[in-house]
Amino acid sequence: EAAAREAAEAAEAAIRTRERAAARAREESEARLRRILPRASAARRAAAEADEEEARKTARKTQAEAAQRRAREERAAAVGQAAAVSAAVAAARLETGGGRGAP
């Protein structure tokens, strides 16, 4: 009977020791989380800000490329119009007798 009681007390002591160790591990884990979470939140905010800046840069680049494309198209249209005007002037000169020195 004494041996059984001692064994039960030893088992209870072992259980209490494991419970204290688990509680200590839980507290340490929670303390680590309290230290890490603010840094993780700051890192997430910084990453989000970097993503937003990258999106703004991409949007600006896309807008600049569209503006350049429009400018090239407008230049090409102007060159085409100038060529058409020159051709019309040349055709008119031919019809009127050959150009500037003609009577």
Side-chain angles (χ1 to χ4, degrees):
E1 198 172 287
R5 190 173 29 252
E6 287 177 14
E9 289 173 359
E12 288 176 11
I15 289 170
R16 284 191 300 273
T17 301
R18 280 195 299 270
E19 287 174 346
R20 282 194 300 272
R24 198 168 33 254
R26 202 169 31 252
E27 289 170 4
E28 290 171 0
S29 178
E30 290 171 358
R32 265 195 309 277
L33 282 175
R34 282 192 297 274
R35 285 192 308 272
I36 291 170
L37 284 178
R39 288 193 299 248
S41 294
R44 277 194 301 274
R45 278 193 303 274
E49 289 171 5
D51 288 346
E52 290 172 5
E53 179 59 26
E54 187 64 29
R56 283 192 293 274
K57 285 181 183 177
T58 301
R60 284 193 298 267
K61 181 179 177 186
T62 301
Q63 290 171 348
E65 288 170 348
Q68 288 174 346
R69 190 171 40 256
R70 283 191 303 274
R72 282 192 300 270
E73 291 168 356
E74 289 171 5
R75 277 194 300 275
V79 167
Q81 289 174 349
V85 168
S86 294
V89 167
R93 285 188 182 147
L94 287 175
E95 288 177 8
T96 58
R100 294 179 192 171

